[in-house]
Short mmCIF file of all heavy atoms in Angstrom, two decimals:
data_model
loop_
_atom_site.label_atom_id
_atom_site.label_comp_id
_atom_site.label_asym_id
_atom_site.label_seq_id
_atom_site.Cartn_x
_atom_site.Cartn_y
_atom_site.Cartn_z
N MET A 1 82.68 116.01 106.29
CA MET A 1 83.51 115.32 107.22
C MET A 1 84.69 114.63 106.52
O MET A 1 85.78 114.64 107.03
CB MET A 1 82.63 114.28 107.97
CG MET A 1 83.41 113.50 108.97
SD MET A 1 82.23 112.53 109.92
CE MET A 1 83.29 111.73 110.99
N HIS A 2 84.47 113.98 105.40
CA HIS A 2 85.51 113.34 104.69
C HIS A 2 86.05 114.10 103.52
O HIS A 2 86.85 113.66 102.77
CB HIS A 2 85.01 111.93 104.26
CG HIS A 2 84.79 110.98 105.30
ND1 HIS A 2 85.80 110.25 105.93
CD2 HIS A 2 83.70 110.63 106.05
CE1 HIS A 2 85.29 109.52 106.93
NE2 HIS A 2 84.03 109.74 106.98
N GLY A 3 85.45 115.31 103.29
CA GLY A 3 85.93 116.18 102.21
C GLY A 3 85.36 115.81 100.84
O GLY A 3 85.86 116.29 99.80
N LEU A 4 84.37 114.91 100.76
CA LEU A 4 83.77 114.50 99.52
C LEU A 4 82.43 115.20 99.36
O LEU A 4 81.81 115.57 100.32
CB LEU A 4 83.64 112.95 99.50
CG LEU A 4 84.88 112.17 99.66
CD1 LEU A 4 84.52 110.65 99.75
CD2 LEU A 4 85.86 112.38 98.57
N ARG A 5 82.02 115.30 98.07
CA ARG A 5 80.62 115.87 97.84
C ARG A 5 79.85 114.63 97.20
O ARG A 5 80.41 113.85 96.47
CB ARG A 5 80.68 116.94 96.75
CG ARG A 5 81.20 118.27 97.25
CD ARG A 5 80.99 119.28 96.17
NE ARG A 5 81.95 120.33 96.41
CZ ARG A 5 82.60 120.98 95.47
NH1 ARG A 5 82.39 120.67 94.22
NH2 ARG A 5 83.47 121.86 95.73
N ALA A 6 78.56 114.61 97.50
CA ALA A 6 77.76 113.49 96.93
C ALA A 6 76.38 114.06 96.61
O ALA A 6 75.85 115.02 97.23
CB ALA A 6 77.55 112.38 98.02
N TRP A 7 75.82 113.55 95.47
CA TRP A 7 74.47 113.91 95.07
C TRP A 7 73.85 112.71 94.30
O TRP A 7 74.53 111.92 93.66
CB TRP A 7 74.43 115.19 94.29
CG TRP A 7 75.14 115.14 92.91
CD1 TRP A 7 74.65 114.77 91.76
CD2 TRP A 7 76.57 115.22 92.74
NE1 TRP A 7 75.61 114.77 90.75
CE2 TRP A 7 76.85 115.03 91.33
CE3 TRP A 7 77.64 115.61 93.54
CZ2 TRP A 7 78.07 115.19 90.77
CZ3 TRP A 7 78.89 115.65 92.97
CH2 TRP A 7 79.11 115.44 91.61
N MET A 8 72.54 112.65 94.35
CA MET A 8 71.79 111.60 93.60
C MET A 8 71.38 112.12 92.22
O MET A 8 71.12 113.27 92.07
CB MET A 8 70.55 111.18 94.35
CG MET A 8 70.82 110.37 95.64
SD MET A 8 71.65 108.78 95.32
CE MET A 8 70.47 107.94 94.31
N SER A 9 71.35 111.19 91.28
CA SER A 9 70.81 111.47 89.96
C SER A 9 70.13 110.17 89.53
O SER A 9 70.27 109.15 90.18
CB SER A 9 71.93 111.87 88.99
OG SER A 9 72.67 110.78 88.66
N PRO A 10 69.44 110.18 88.41
CA PRO A 10 68.77 108.91 87.94
C PRO A 10 69.76 107.77 87.71
O PRO A 10 69.36 106.64 87.75
CB PRO A 10 68.10 109.34 86.68
CG PRO A 10 67.83 110.85 86.85
CD PRO A 10 69.02 111.32 87.56
N ASP A 11 71.04 108.07 87.43
CA ASP A 11 71.98 106.97 87.18
C ASP A 11 72.73 106.49 88.40
O ASP A 11 73.47 105.52 88.32
CB ASP A 11 72.95 107.36 86.04
CG ASP A 11 73.76 108.62 86.35
OD1 ASP A 11 73.27 109.45 87.15
OD2 ASP A 11 74.85 108.73 85.80
N GLY A 12 72.50 107.12 89.63
CA GLY A 12 73.14 106.60 90.79
C GLY A 12 73.60 107.73 91.74
O GLY A 12 73.24 108.85 91.53
N LEU A 13 74.40 107.36 92.69
CA LEU A 13 74.95 108.23 93.66
C LEU A 13 76.35 108.74 93.14
O LEU A 13 77.27 107.97 92.99
CB LEU A 13 75.15 107.58 95.03
CG LEU A 13 75.84 108.38 96.09
CD1 LEU A 13 75.00 109.61 96.47
CD2 LEU A 13 76.14 107.51 97.28
N HIS A 14 76.44 110.01 92.85
CA HIS A 14 77.76 110.60 92.37
C HIS A 14 78.51 111.00 93.63
O HIS A 14 77.93 111.69 94.51
CB HIS A 14 77.44 111.84 91.52
CG HIS A 14 76.83 111.56 90.25
ND1 HIS A 14 77.52 111.70 89.01
CD2 HIS A 14 75.61 111.03 89.92
CE1 HIS A 14 76.69 111.34 88.07
NE2 HIS A 14 75.55 110.95 88.55
N VAL A 15 79.78 110.66 93.67
CA VAL A 15 80.62 111.06 94.73
C VAL A 15 81.86 111.71 94.10
O VAL A 15 82.53 111.09 93.20
CB VAL A 15 81.08 109.90 95.65
CG1 VAL A 15 81.88 110.34 96.80
CG2 VAL A 15 79.78 109.14 96.14
N GLU A 16 82.24 112.90 94.57
CA GLU A 16 83.35 113.70 93.98
C GLU A 16 84.30 114.11 95.11
O GLU A 16 83.86 114.45 96.16
CB GLU A 16 82.71 114.89 93.29
CG GLU A 16 83.70 115.88 92.74
CD GLU A 16 83.03 117.05 92.16
OE1 GLU A 16 82.49 117.89 92.94
OE2 GLU A 16 83.09 117.23 90.97
N ASN A 17 85.54 114.14 94.74
CA ASN A 17 86.56 114.70 95.63
C ASN A 17 86.92 116.10 95.10
O ASN A 17 87.76 116.28 94.17
CB ASN A 17 87.85 113.83 95.67
CG ASN A 17 88.85 114.38 96.63
OD1 ASN A 17 88.75 115.49 97.17
ND2 ASN A 17 89.91 113.65 96.80
N PRO A 18 86.40 117.18 95.69
CA PRO A 18 86.65 118.55 95.22
C PRO A 18 88.09 118.99 95.50
O PRO A 18 88.47 120.08 95.00
CB PRO A 18 85.62 119.39 95.93
CG PRO A 18 85.33 118.66 97.15
CD PRO A 18 85.43 117.22 96.80
N GLU A 19 88.82 118.29 96.29
CA GLU A 19 90.22 118.71 96.63
C GLU A 19 91.26 118.09 95.72
O GLU A 19 92.41 118.29 95.97
CB GLU A 19 90.40 118.43 98.12
CG GLU A 19 89.44 119.17 99.01
CD GLU A 19 89.77 118.96 100.48
OE1 GLU A 19 90.76 118.39 100.81
OE2 GLU A 19 88.89 119.38 101.28
N ALA A 20 90.87 117.26 94.77
CA ALA A 20 91.85 116.61 93.89
C ALA A 20 91.53 117.01 92.43
O ALA A 20 90.34 117.17 92.09
CB ALA A 20 91.77 115.10 94.11
N ALA A 21 92.58 117.07 91.67
CA ALA A 21 92.35 117.33 90.22
C ALA A 21 92.06 116.10 89.50
O ALA A 21 92.63 115.00 89.72
CB ALA A 21 93.62 118.00 89.62
N GLY A 22 91.09 116.13 88.58
CA GLY A 22 90.76 114.96 87.81
C GLY A 22 91.42 114.93 86.49
O GLY A 22 92.09 115.86 86.13
N CYS A 23 91.28 113.81 85.83
CA CYS A 23 91.94 113.66 84.51
C CYS A 23 90.94 113.83 83.38
O CYS A 23 91.21 114.43 82.35
CB CYS A 23 92.64 112.33 84.35
SG CYS A 23 91.57 110.95 84.49
N CYS A 24 89.71 113.31 83.62
CA CYS A 24 88.66 113.42 82.56
C CYS A 24 87.60 114.45 82.96
O CYS A 24 86.74 114.74 82.12
CB CYS A 24 87.99 112.04 82.35
SG CYS A 24 89.15 110.76 81.97
N SER A 25 87.63 114.92 84.12
CA SER A 25 86.69 115.96 84.63
C SER A 25 87.46 116.82 85.62
O SER A 25 88.63 116.54 85.93
CB SER A 25 85.48 115.28 85.31
OG SER A 25 85.87 114.56 86.37
N LEU A 26 86.84 117.90 86.04
CA LEU A 26 87.48 118.84 86.95
C LEU A 26 88.03 118.21 88.18
O LEU A 26 89.17 118.41 88.67
CB LEU A 26 86.54 120.00 87.28
CG LEU A 26 87.14 121.13 88.11
CD1 LEU A 26 88.34 121.77 87.42
CD2 LEU A 26 86.04 122.17 88.41
N HIS A 27 87.21 117.32 88.81
CA HIS A 27 87.63 116.57 90.01
C HIS A 27 87.31 115.13 89.78
O HIS A 27 86.37 114.71 89.07
CB HIS A 27 86.79 117.09 91.18
CG HIS A 27 86.88 118.52 91.43
ND1 HIS A 27 88.10 119.08 91.91
CD2 HIS A 27 86.04 119.52 91.27
CE1 HIS A 27 87.91 120.36 92.03
NE2 HIS A 27 86.68 120.69 91.64
N PRO A 28 88.05 114.19 90.48
CA PRO A 28 87.70 112.75 90.40
C PRO A 28 86.34 112.53 90.93
O PRO A 28 85.94 113.08 91.95
CB PRO A 28 88.76 112.07 91.30
CG PRO A 28 89.81 113.13 91.58
CD PRO A 28 89.14 114.45 91.34
N CYS A 29 85.60 111.65 90.22
CA CYS A 29 84.18 111.40 90.61
C CYS A 29 83.87 109.91 90.29
O CYS A 29 84.46 109.38 89.25
CB CYS A 29 83.25 112.35 89.86
SG CYS A 29 81.47 112.17 90.26
N VAL A 30 83.04 109.32 91.03
CA VAL A 30 82.53 107.97 90.77
C VAL A 30 81.07 108.00 90.88
O VAL A 30 80.50 108.72 91.71
CB VAL A 30 83.23 106.92 91.66
CG1 VAL A 30 82.87 107.12 93.07
CG2 VAL A 30 82.98 105.49 91.17
N VAL A 31 80.39 107.10 90.14
CA VAL A 31 78.92 106.97 90.29
C VAL A 31 78.65 105.55 90.77
O VAL A 31 79.14 104.60 90.23
CB VAL A 31 78.23 107.19 88.91
CG1 VAL A 31 76.69 106.98 89.17
CG2 VAL A 31 78.52 108.54 88.33
N LEU A 32 78.00 105.50 91.94
CA LEU A 32 77.72 104.24 92.59
C LEU A 32 76.28 103.81 92.33
O LEU A 32 75.32 104.64 92.32
CB LEU A 32 77.93 104.28 94.11
CG LEU A 32 79.33 104.77 94.56
CD1 LEU A 32 79.36 104.79 96.05
CD2 LEU A 32 80.39 103.83 93.97
N THR A 33 76.07 102.45 92.10
CA THR A 33 74.77 101.91 92.02
C THR A 33 74.69 100.79 93.07
O THR A 33 75.73 100.41 93.60
CB THR A 33 74.43 101.35 90.61
OG1 THR A 33 75.45 100.34 90.30
CG2 THR A 33 74.51 102.47 89.53
N VAL A 34 73.50 100.31 93.28
CA VAL A 34 73.25 99.19 94.29
C VAL A 34 72.62 98.01 93.47
O VAL A 34 71.70 98.31 92.73
CB VAL A 34 72.39 99.65 95.43
CG1 VAL A 34 72.16 98.52 96.39
CG2 VAL A 34 73.12 100.83 96.22
N GLY A 35 73.10 96.82 93.78
CA GLY A 35 72.47 95.73 93.12
C GLY A 35 72.91 94.39 93.82
O GLY A 35 73.77 94.37 94.72
N ALA A 36 72.31 93.29 93.44
CA ALA A 36 72.66 92.00 93.98
C ALA A 36 73.95 91.48 93.30
O ALA A 36 74.10 91.59 92.11
CB ALA A 36 71.55 91.03 93.66
N ARG A 37 74.80 90.94 94.13
CA ARG A 37 76.08 90.41 93.67
C ARG A 37 75.87 88.88 93.58
O ARG A 37 75.82 88.24 94.62
CB ARG A 37 77.27 90.78 94.55
CG ARG A 37 78.53 90.26 93.94
CD ARG A 37 79.72 90.83 94.65
NE ARG A 37 80.92 90.32 94.02
CZ ARG A 37 82.10 90.59 94.46
NH1 ARG A 37 82.34 91.46 95.48
NH2 ARG A 37 83.17 90.03 93.88
N GLN A 38 75.76 88.41 92.36
CA GLN A 38 75.45 86.99 92.19
C GLN A 38 76.51 86.08 92.77
O GLN A 38 76.17 84.95 93.33
CB GLN A 38 75.18 86.68 90.72
CG GLN A 38 74.00 87.46 90.10
CD GLN A 38 72.75 87.36 90.96
OE1 GLN A 38 72.39 86.29 91.37
NE2 GLN A 38 72.19 88.47 91.17
N ASP A 39 77.79 86.35 92.66
CA ASP A 39 78.88 85.52 93.19
C ASP A 39 79.00 85.62 94.73
O ASP A 39 79.87 85.03 95.28
CB ASP A 39 80.20 85.80 92.45
CG ASP A 39 80.72 87.17 92.68
OD1 ASP A 39 80.01 88.09 93.16
OD2 ASP A 39 81.88 87.36 92.36
N ASP A 40 78.07 86.39 95.35
CA ASP A 40 78.08 86.50 96.87
C ASP A 40 76.67 86.14 97.33
O ASP A 40 76.14 86.80 98.22
CB ASP A 40 78.46 87.90 97.27
CG ASP A 40 78.68 87.95 98.76
OD1 ASP A 40 78.93 86.95 99.46
OD2 ASP A 40 78.53 89.10 99.30
N GLY A 41 76.04 85.17 96.68
CA GLY A 41 74.72 84.68 97.11
C GLY A 41 73.56 85.72 96.98
O GLY A 41 72.62 85.58 97.72
N GLY A 42 73.77 86.64 96.10
CA GLY A 42 72.73 87.61 95.90
C GLY A 42 72.71 88.78 96.91
O GLY A 42 71.74 89.54 96.97
N GLN A 43 73.78 88.87 97.73
CA GLN A 43 73.88 89.96 98.68
C GLN A 43 73.81 91.31 98.00
O GLN A 43 74.32 91.42 96.83
CB GLN A 43 75.18 89.92 99.56
CG GLN A 43 75.30 88.69 100.40
CD GLN A 43 74.32 88.82 101.60
OE1 GLN A 43 73.91 89.88 102.00
NE2 GLN A 43 73.95 87.64 102.19
N THR A 44 73.30 92.34 98.62
CA THR A 44 73.26 93.67 98.08
C THR A 44 74.59 94.37 98.22
O THR A 44 75.16 94.41 99.32
CB THR A 44 72.10 94.51 98.73
OG1 THR A 44 70.96 93.82 98.65
CG2 THR A 44 71.99 95.89 98.13
N TRP A 45 75.12 94.83 97.11
CA TRP A 45 76.44 95.49 97.07
C TRP A 45 76.39 96.88 96.41
O TRP A 45 75.43 97.15 95.62
CB TRP A 45 77.45 94.64 96.29
CG TRP A 45 78.04 93.56 97.02
CD1 TRP A 45 77.45 92.48 97.60
CD2 TRP A 45 79.50 93.39 97.29
NE1 TRP A 45 78.39 91.66 98.16
CE2 TRP A 45 79.65 92.24 98.03
CE3 TRP A 45 80.59 94.13 96.96
CZ2 TRP A 45 80.88 91.77 98.44
CZ3 TRP A 45 81.81 93.72 97.35
CH2 TRP A 45 81.99 92.53 98.08
N PHE A 46 77.36 97.68 96.72
CA PHE A 46 77.56 98.94 95.89
C PHE A 46 78.46 98.53 94.79
O PHE A 46 79.45 97.87 94.94
CB PHE A 46 78.31 100.08 96.72
CG PHE A 46 77.34 100.69 97.70
CD1 PHE A 46 77.41 100.43 99.05
CD2 PHE A 46 76.40 101.66 97.25
CE1 PHE A 46 76.60 101.13 99.94
CE2 PHE A 46 75.58 102.31 98.15
CZ PHE A 46 75.71 101.97 99.47
N PHE A 47 78.19 99.07 93.53
CA PHE A 47 78.98 98.90 92.35
C PHE A 47 79.33 100.18 91.70
O PHE A 47 78.53 101.15 91.81
CB PHE A 47 78.22 98.07 91.29
CG PHE A 47 77.92 96.63 91.69
CD1 PHE A 47 76.77 96.30 92.45
CD2 PHE A 47 78.75 95.65 91.27
CE1 PHE A 47 76.58 95.02 92.76
CE2 PHE A 47 78.55 94.31 91.58
CZ PHE A 47 77.41 94.00 92.35
N THR A 48 80.47 100.28 91.03
CA THR A 48 80.72 101.44 90.18
C THR A 48 79.89 101.29 88.89
O THR A 48 79.37 100.18 88.60
CB THR A 48 82.17 101.53 89.80
OG1 THR A 48 82.54 100.35 88.92
CG2 THR A 48 83.09 101.56 90.96
N THR A 49 79.72 102.35 88.11
CA THR A 49 78.97 102.26 86.89
C THR A 49 79.61 101.34 85.87
O THR A 49 78.97 100.90 84.90
CB THR A 49 78.73 103.63 86.22
OG1 THR A 49 80.02 104.28 86.05
CG2 THR A 49 77.81 104.45 87.12
N TRP A 50 80.89 100.99 86.00
CA TRP A 50 81.51 100.08 85.06
C TRP A 50 81.43 98.64 85.60
O TRP A 50 82.08 97.69 85.14
CB TRP A 50 82.96 100.49 84.73
CG TRP A 50 83.93 100.61 85.86
CD1 TRP A 50 84.68 99.64 86.39
CD2 TRP A 50 84.18 101.77 86.63
NE1 TRP A 50 85.42 100.10 87.46
CE2 TRP A 50 85.18 101.43 87.57
CE3 TRP A 50 83.78 103.10 86.52
CZ2 TRP A 50 85.65 102.36 88.52
CZ3 TRP A 50 84.24 104.01 87.48
CH2 TRP A 50 85.22 103.58 88.43
N GLY A 51 80.66 98.42 86.71
CA GLY A 51 80.35 97.08 87.20
C GLY A 51 81.30 96.53 88.21
O GLY A 51 81.18 95.36 88.64
N HIS A 52 82.23 97.31 88.67
CA HIS A 52 83.18 96.90 89.69
C HIS A 52 82.52 96.85 91.04
O HIS A 52 82.04 97.87 91.57
CB HIS A 52 84.47 97.81 89.74
CG HIS A 52 85.43 97.38 90.78
ND1 HIS A 52 86.29 96.30 90.59
CD2 HIS A 52 85.65 97.90 91.98
CE1 HIS A 52 87.00 96.20 91.64
NE2 HIS A 52 86.65 97.11 92.53
N PRO A 53 82.48 95.72 91.76
CA PRO A 53 81.88 95.68 93.12
C PRO A 53 82.85 96.41 94.16
O PRO A 53 84.03 96.18 94.11
CB PRO A 53 81.77 94.21 93.41
CG PRO A 53 82.71 93.52 92.57
CD PRO A 53 82.95 94.42 91.32
N LEU A 54 82.24 97.24 95.01
CA LEU A 54 83.05 97.95 96.01
C LEU A 54 82.94 97.27 97.36
O LEU A 54 83.97 96.97 97.98
CB LEU A 54 82.59 99.40 96.06
CG LEU A 54 82.96 100.31 94.94
CD1 LEU A 54 82.51 101.70 95.13
CD2 LEU A 54 84.47 100.29 94.67
N ALA A 55 81.67 97.18 97.89
CA ALA A 55 81.53 96.62 99.21
C ALA A 55 80.08 96.26 99.36
O ALA A 55 79.20 96.81 98.66
CB ALA A 55 81.98 97.60 100.28
N GLU A 56 79.78 95.38 100.35
CA GLU A 56 78.38 95.09 100.66
C GLU A 56 77.68 96.43 101.11
O GLU A 56 78.29 97.26 101.77
CB GLU A 56 78.27 94.09 101.77
CG GLU A 56 78.59 92.67 101.37
CD GLU A 56 78.21 91.67 102.38
OE1 GLU A 56 77.13 91.74 102.99
OE2 GLU A 56 79.10 90.81 102.65
N ALA A 57 76.42 96.54 100.70
CA ALA A 57 75.73 97.76 101.00
C ALA A 57 75.59 98.03 102.48
O ALA A 57 75.54 99.14 102.95
CB ALA A 57 74.31 97.69 100.40
N GLU A 58 75.61 96.99 103.31
CA GLU A 58 75.54 97.15 104.72
C GLU A 58 76.88 97.62 105.31
O GLU A 58 76.91 98.02 106.50
CB GLU A 58 75.06 95.82 105.37
CG GLU A 58 73.71 95.43 105.07
CD GLU A 58 73.24 94.17 105.73
OE1 GLU A 58 73.95 93.68 106.64
OE2 GLU A 58 72.16 93.69 105.39
N HIS A 59 77.95 97.55 104.63
CA HIS A 59 79.25 97.91 105.09
C HIS A 59 79.64 99.30 104.58
O HIS A 59 80.53 99.44 103.73
CB HIS A 59 80.29 96.85 104.68
CG HIS A 59 79.97 95.51 105.20
ND1 HIS A 59 80.74 94.38 104.83
CD2 HIS A 59 79.07 95.03 106.11
CE1 HIS A 59 80.27 93.35 105.47
NE2 HIS A 59 79.27 93.71 106.22
N ILE A 60 79.03 100.30 105.16
CA ILE A 60 79.20 101.66 104.75
C ILE A 60 80.66 102.13 104.91
O ILE A 60 81.23 102.76 104.01
CB ILE A 60 78.25 102.63 105.44
CG1 ILE A 60 76.81 102.23 105.23
CG2 ILE A 60 78.53 104.09 105.06
CD1 ILE A 60 76.39 102.26 103.75
N ALA A 61 81.28 101.78 105.95
CA ALA A 61 82.68 102.19 106.17
C ALA A 61 83.61 101.58 105.19
O ALA A 61 84.54 102.25 104.67
CB ALA A 61 83.16 101.79 107.60
N ASP A 62 83.41 100.35 104.79
CA ASP A 62 84.19 99.71 103.75
C ASP A 62 83.97 100.42 102.34
O ASP A 62 84.94 100.67 101.61
CB ASP A 62 83.84 98.21 103.52
CG ASP A 62 84.26 97.39 104.77
OD1 ASP A 62 85.08 97.92 105.59
OD2 ASP A 62 83.74 96.34 104.89
N THR A 63 82.74 100.80 102.08
CA THR A 63 82.40 101.49 100.84
C THR A 63 83.14 102.88 100.83
O THR A 63 83.72 103.25 99.85
CB THR A 63 80.90 101.69 100.71
OG1 THR A 63 80.22 100.42 100.80
CG2 THR A 63 80.57 102.40 99.39
N LEU A 64 83.07 103.58 101.96
CA LEU A 64 83.73 104.85 102.06
C LEU A 64 85.22 104.77 101.86
O LEU A 64 85.83 105.52 101.11
CB LEU A 64 83.45 105.56 103.38
CG LEU A 64 84.03 106.90 103.56
CD1 LEU A 64 83.62 107.94 102.58
CD2 LEU A 64 83.77 107.41 104.98
N THR A 65 85.83 103.72 102.40
CA THR A 65 87.28 103.54 102.27
C THR A 65 87.61 103.31 100.82
O THR A 65 88.59 103.81 100.28
CB THR A 65 87.71 102.37 103.12
OG1 THR A 65 87.44 102.69 104.47
CG2 THR A 65 89.24 102.07 102.94
N ALA A 66 86.86 102.45 100.11
CA ALA A 66 87.05 102.13 98.72
C ALA A 66 86.87 103.36 97.82
O ALA A 66 87.66 103.66 96.92
CB ALA A 66 86.09 101.02 98.27
N VAL A 67 85.87 104.20 98.09
CA VAL A 67 85.54 105.36 97.31
C VAL A 67 86.75 106.41 97.50
O VAL A 67 87.29 106.97 96.53
CB VAL A 67 84.22 106.03 97.63
CG1 VAL A 67 84.09 107.39 97.10
CG2 VAL A 67 83.13 105.13 97.16
N LYS A 68 87.13 106.61 98.77
CA LYS A 68 88.25 107.57 99.02
C LYS A 68 89.54 107.12 98.37
O LYS A 68 90.23 107.91 97.81
CB LYS A 68 88.45 107.69 100.52
CG LYS A 68 87.37 108.46 101.15
CD LYS A 68 87.48 108.52 102.70
CE LYS A 68 88.61 109.45 103.06
NZ LYS A 68 88.70 109.69 104.49
N ALA A 69 89.78 105.81 98.28
CA ALA A 69 91.03 105.32 97.60
C ALA A 69 90.92 105.55 96.07
O ALA A 69 91.91 105.90 95.45
CB ALA A 69 91.14 103.79 97.84
N MET A 70 89.65 105.44 95.50
CA MET A 70 89.51 105.74 94.09
C MET A 70 89.67 107.21 93.70
O MET A 70 90.11 107.58 92.62
CB MET A 70 88.22 105.23 93.54
CG MET A 70 88.11 103.74 93.44
SD MET A 70 86.66 103.16 92.55
CE MET A 70 85.32 103.93 93.52
N LEU A 71 89.22 108.04 94.65
CA LEU A 71 89.17 109.44 94.36
C LEU A 71 90.27 110.29 94.97
O LEU A 71 90.20 111.54 95.05
CB LEU A 71 87.82 110.05 94.90
CG LEU A 71 86.59 109.40 94.28
CD1 LEU A 71 85.33 110.05 94.88
CD2 LEU A 71 86.58 109.47 92.83
N HIS A 72 91.41 109.71 95.32
CA HIS A 72 92.46 110.43 95.94
C HIS A 72 93.22 111.36 95.03
O HIS A 72 94.05 112.23 95.41
CB HIS A 72 93.45 109.60 96.68
CG HIS A 72 94.20 108.57 95.85
ND1 HIS A 72 94.94 108.90 94.70
CD2 HIS A 72 94.23 107.24 95.95
CE1 HIS A 72 95.41 107.84 94.25
NE2 HIS A 72 95.05 106.82 94.94
N GLY A 73 93.03 111.23 93.71
CA GLY A 73 93.61 112.17 92.76
C GLY A 73 94.91 111.75 92.20
O GLY A 73 95.57 112.53 91.41
N ARG A 74 95.34 110.54 92.47
CA ARG A 74 96.59 110.04 91.91
C ARG A 74 96.31 108.86 91.03
O ARG A 74 95.55 108.01 91.45
CB ARG A 74 97.58 109.64 93.06
CG ARG A 74 98.01 110.86 93.88
CD ARG A 74 98.95 110.45 95.03
NE ARG A 74 98.47 109.43 95.88
CZ ARG A 74 97.61 109.65 96.94
NH1 ARG A 74 97.24 110.85 97.26
NH2 ARG A 74 97.30 108.69 97.71
N PRO A 75 96.94 108.82 89.87
CA PRO A 75 96.64 107.69 88.96
C PRO A 75 97.20 106.36 89.48
O PRO A 75 98.05 106.31 90.41
CB PRO A 75 97.35 108.05 87.66
CG PRO A 75 98.39 109.05 88.01
CD PRO A 75 97.83 109.72 89.31
N GLY A 76 96.59 105.25 89.04
CA GLY A 76 97.08 103.91 89.37
C GLY A 76 96.40 103.27 90.59
O GLY A 76 97.03 102.48 91.28
N VAL A 77 95.17 103.63 90.85
CA VAL A 77 94.44 103.03 91.92
C VAL A 77 94.19 101.59 91.64
O VAL A 77 93.71 101.27 90.54
CB VAL A 77 93.14 103.83 92.22
CG1 VAL A 77 92.35 103.09 93.32
CG2 VAL A 77 93.38 105.26 92.51
N ALA A 78 94.54 100.72 92.58
CA ALA A 78 94.29 99.28 92.34
C ALA A 78 92.81 99.03 92.81
O ALA A 78 92.42 99.37 93.87
CB ALA A 78 95.21 98.46 93.21
N LEU A 79 92.02 98.46 91.94
CA LEU A 79 90.63 98.12 92.28
C LEU A 79 90.51 96.69 92.65
O LEU A 79 90.74 95.79 92.12
CB LEU A 79 89.71 98.51 91.11
CG LEU A 79 89.66 99.98 90.76
CD1 LEU A 79 88.72 100.20 89.60
CD2 LEU A 79 89.15 100.80 92.01
#
């Protein structure tokens, strides 16, 4: 529906944009994990593997918007 591919692995949820060229891999990809965000009262959030918080886990649409922005295939994405 959104043109992304996703799969689970032991290190998290991998999300890839197969329609964009990547710089370090064939296609842009991000690995998401879930954890408590201490500066938000311990709320459950999605994080990138480098520790950047994306959105509260209950806010799936916000998470999808953030992931699509990161994987659009053009450099200079503001996080």
Side-chain angles (χ1 to χ4, degrees):
M1 179 172 181
H2 293 277
L4 303 174
R5 286 188 206 140
W7 65 94
M8 288 297 300
S9 75
D11 59 335
L13 175 66
H14 292 247
V15 183
E16 175 185 68
N17 181 354
E19 297 183 12
C23 62
C24 302
S25 61
L26 184 59
H27 303 291
C29 184
V30 65
V31 180
L32 303 179
T33 60
V34 177
R37 184 169 180 182
Q38 299 310 314
D39 64 345
D40 189 23
Q43 293 288 338
T44 304
W45 276 64
F46 285 106
F47 291 86
T48 64
T49 53
W50 60 88
H52 179 78
L54 290 179
E56 284 189 47
E58 293 182 9
H59 298 175
I60 301 301
D62 293 343
T63 304
L64 178 60
T65 299
V67 168
K68 287 176 75 173
M70 285 190 305
L71 301 181
H72 62 53
R74 295 179 305 275
V77 176
L79 296 177

